[in-house]
Amino acid sequence: MDYQGQSLTLTYENGQEVTVESVAIVRMGANFTGVRTGEGFYTRFCDPDASIDVEPPATTEVPPQFPTSTRTDTSASDVSSTNTLPPLSPTMSNYPWPAVRDNGSNITSGYFLNGTGYDDVVVLALSEFSPPDMDPMAYLVDFQATIANLLAKSREQNKTKLIIDVSENGDGLVAAAYELFAQLFPNTTAFSANNIRETLSIVQISKVSSADAVEIKNFDANTFDEINPDEPARFKALSSLHENSMVEQLIPGHIFSPITGLNLTTSDALLGPVILENDTFTAYQYHPWNQTEDVFNITGAGNRANVPPSPFTVENIILLTDGACSSTCATLARLLYSVNGTNNAKIKIKTAVVGGRPDPALGTVNNTSTGPMQAVGGVAGAQIFYFSNFHEAVKAVLVLSPELNSTTNLTENEDLLLLAEGYAMKRPLAGIGGGEAAGSINGKNDFVSLDNLETAIQFLSWNEDVIGGVNETNYCHFYYTKEMVFGPTKVWERAADAFWGEDGGDKLYLPLFD
């Protein structure tokens, strides 16, 4: 985006205007010494052919984030070889003593509130869905056990109310969102429908990879060496495609249609296309979570096929957010909002949003400005594709189909050849802050239901189209107080008070002060 000046005014379809200040955030380790012009900035940080010195971070290395992949092909040996983590302290900083907590990732914990009016309230705190220092499959196994342990203890102590705290929760493993949903609602089928913008390069990657789909999915480095000792280039290509979470969404065999329920068994069936707003997308797709796997089974499948019912009903669940919820967190929110009350389809889970800044234009309660706040304010795509996913996939595809290397037909091959160059991967700035810092995009659209497959969820109003409209019975927004800064307990209590306290249920927006 070009620099628009000191501020930028956005005009919405309903006529509302919002003016935001222009700011620049400097990535840790970026050396601006001598950079005084736009040309200098480009040479320093963007030109892959420039030979310049970029300083790495002095003290803190930012680890790469796990993609929101649903891969479950990690072997059992991979899980057991997880790096040993330092012993956990009894509780996390500024948090109360947990009833349960995870065993290594330090991001999942459960609490039983105390005091009059809170005795039957349980809090599940989820700070993220992607531990940076733990094997993804080991995390999922532990996450599943932690949630199951919390529900079991809740049943034992007759707890009936649940607050799911996803404050500051953003990206992570999609499988974790589906696992939590499956444990809370084991008798409800989780809806899923995605698609991918269908560029020519996506089509080419899909068709070439699909021709070797069986080899890619069943790739085993040990057996390949024995069978194909004279094909090192093909070995590397198949290995790269096997490990690529983007390619996994472009080859048939394990992807189904949410419309027909049938397996998309060919590349043509998977690619569609679907035309939306004069743009081309793949066919709608979903991954069936009830399939039995060797290492990890989502609750409802395999060794997790029969589980006890959840102690919490739709009417007694609050989703607590600070507006930062995005990606996998947004997927969890969509799943939760899809469930109807036991005897009333209009009853949904409740939403409490904390934070934001008062807006005098919206009126006041007790001398405090109030107004609604978006519960899910982040990007609501279904999966991240890193630039490295594209780069590595194309390099492998060009090995498997050498004819695509031809420069005589640039109309067909230009995108592939540009991606193979890895321009974004070579930029000096890509070396700062971890291996995935070159960039990423939200690669998969997510949809709310079969009734609305025209508009992806990121273009919908969460308050109206997803939640179904906010009112005093299902939504509240409150601001932080001083005491909330020093620990989450007061935030949890305030959320509980909004719906379950003596004064709850009669205010749409709660004031800043009591």
Side-chain angles (χ1 to χ4, degrees):
M1 177 183 289
D2 294 332
Y3 178 63
Q4 302 293 315
Q6 294 185 349
S7 65
L8 175 65
T9 298
L10 303 174
T11 303
Y12 293 90
E13 188 173 350
N14 63 2
Q16 181 183 359
E17 289 189 352
V18 175
T19 300
V20 293
E21 181 183 0
S22 299
V23 297
I25 300 175
V26 180
R27 178 177 290 170
M28 184 184 299
N31 180 9
F32 274 81
T33 303
V35 176
R36 296 181 174 84
T37 65
E39 290 78 7
F41 179 93
Y42 178 85
T43 300
R44 172 63 57 86
F45 299 114
C46 303
D47 187 354
D49 299 319
S51 178
I52 55 94
D53 180 27
V54 178
E55 296 180 356
T59 56
T60 303
E61 181 180 354
V62 181
Q65 295 296 303
F66 290 110
T68 55
S69 174
T70 58
R71 292 179 65 92
T72 54
D73 56 7
T74 303
S75 66
S77 60
D78 291 330
V79 175
S80 63
S81 64
T82 303
N83 293 332
T84 301
L85 298 171
L88 294 172
S89 60
T91 184
M92 290 180 275
S93 178
N94 296 323
Y95 275 66
W97 195 274
V100 302
R101 64 176 303 185
D102 55 36
N103 187 30
S105 56
N106 204 33
I107 57 178
T108 307
S109 51
Y111 305 87
F112 293 164
L113 296 190
N114 299 312
T116 303
Y118 306 117
D119 289 339
D120 59 348
V121 178
V122 178
V123 176
L124 173 59
L126 305 167
S127 60
E128 58 181 311
F129 289 112
S130 58
D133 52 3
M134 188 176 183
D135 177 87
M137 195 57 60
Y139 159 73
L140 287 173
V141 171
D142 182 57
F143 178 82
Q144 183 180 74
T146 303
I147 301 301
N149 190 14
L150 178 64
L151 297 186
K153 288 189 175 184
S154 298
R155 279 189 293 270
E156 291 172 2
Q157 300 190 31
N158 297 316
K159 305 291 185 180
T160 61
K161 297 180 174 69
L162 175 66
I163 297 174
I164 304 173
D165 183 359
V166 290
S167 301
E168 300 182 8
N169 191 310
D171 201 356
L173 295 169
V174 170
Y178 280 88
E179 172 58 32
L180 175 56
F181 179 81
Q183 292 207 38
L184 291 176
F185 303 102
N187 297 320
T188 301
T189 301
F191 176 78
S192 177
N194 315 125
N195 65 14
I196 302 169
R197 174 167 279 127
E198 192 170 290
T199 62
L200 178 58
S201 56
I202 286 290
V203 172
Q204 291 168 317
I205 292 172
S206 176
K207 287 186 175 295
V208 173
S209 300
S210 296
D212 294 291
V214 175
E215 258 192 295
I216 292 170
K217 286 186 289 186
N218 299 325
F219 180 81
D220 185 325
N222 296 321
T223 58
F224 188 96
D225 278 338
E226 297 173 2
I227 300 172
N228 305 275
D230 300 321
E231 296 187 71
R234 183 175 175 81
F235 169 89
K236 291 181 179 179
L238 293 175
S239 175
S240 177
L241 294 173
H242 173 76
E243 297 171 357
N244 195 309
S245 58
M246 179 188 75
V247 172
E248 184 183 27
Q249 315 305 315
L250 298 173
I251 57 178
H254 62 289
I255 296 175
F256 290 69
S257 166
I259 299 174
T260 66
L262 300 177
N263 192 338
L264 301 176
T265 57
T266 67
S267 177
D268 288 340
L270 194 153
L271 291 172
V274 170
I275 307 299
L276 297 172
E277 297 293 333
N278 297 318
D279 208 345
T280 306
F281 297 85
T282 65
Y284 298 105
Q285 60 175 251
Y286 81 98
H287 177 92
W289 295 101
N290 59 351
Q291 289 186 333
T292 301
E293 304 287 351
D294 294 333
V295 180
F296 174 78
N297 289 293
I298 291 283
T299 292
N303 59 359
R304 294 281 299 171
N306 298 302
V307 297
S310 168
F312 310 110
T313 61
V314 175
E315 296 86 348
N316 286 327
I317 295 177
I318 296 174
L319 182 67
L320 172 62
T321 91
D322 58 1
C325 184
S326 65
S327 196
T328 298
C329 181
T331 297
L332 173 63
R334 173 184 65 76
L335 291 170
L336 293 174
Y337 289 132
S338 71
V339 183
N340 299 324
T342 306
N343 299 311
N344 188 341
K346 293 184 178 180
I347 294 178
K348 303 285 186 179
I349 69 161
K350 296 168 173 57
T351 304
V353 190
V354 58
R357 294 183 294 180
D359 185 347
L362 295 173
T364 61
V365 173
N366 294 351
N367 297 318
T368 301
S369 301
T370 60
M373 177 175 165
Q374 189 88 327
V376 181
V379 176
Q383 183 170 344
I384 286 175
F385 293 162
Y386 291 106
F387 289 175
S388 58
N389 289 139
F390 289 96
H391 179 54
E392 296 301 327
V394 169
K395 287 198 303 181
V397 162
L398 292 178
V399 169
L400 297 179
S401 294
E403 68 277 6
L404 293 176
N405 283 287
S406 172
T407 58
T408 59
N409 188 6
L410 285 180
T411 302
E412 294 290 327
N413 304 341
E414 184 176 17
D415 287 353
L416 282 182
L417 297 178
L418 285 174
L419 289 169
E421 289 181 13
Y423 182 90
M425 305 298 298
K426 297 177 184 177
R427 292 178 300 164
L429 194 61
I432 301 175
E436 305 297 351
S440 63
I441 62 172
N442 258 285
K444 291 172 67 177
N445 290 316
D446 199 13
F447 296 87
V448 174
S449 68
L450 288 176
D451 295 329
N452 188 358
L453 291 177
E454 285 80 38
T455 307
I457 198 170
Q458 64 263 32
F459 301 115
L460 297 176
S461 164
W462 274 84
N463 288 351
E464 297 299 327
D465 300 314
V466 183
I467 296 177
V470 300
N471 56 61
E472 66 275 6
T473 65
N474 69 8
Y475 178 93
C476 80
H477 169 212
F478 59 92
Y479 300 100
Y480 285 107
T481 63
K482 180 179 179 180
E483 59 186 356
M484 293 177 184
V485 176
F486 299 99
T489 302
K490 291 299 181 183
V491 178
W492 299 338
E493 291 177 351
R494 191 56 180 273
D497 288 341
F499 299 107
W500 303 320
E502 291 183 2
D503 297 327
D506 60 351
K507 299 188 189 76
L508 176 55
Y509 313 119
L510 298 183
L512 177 61
F513 301 108
D514 293 322

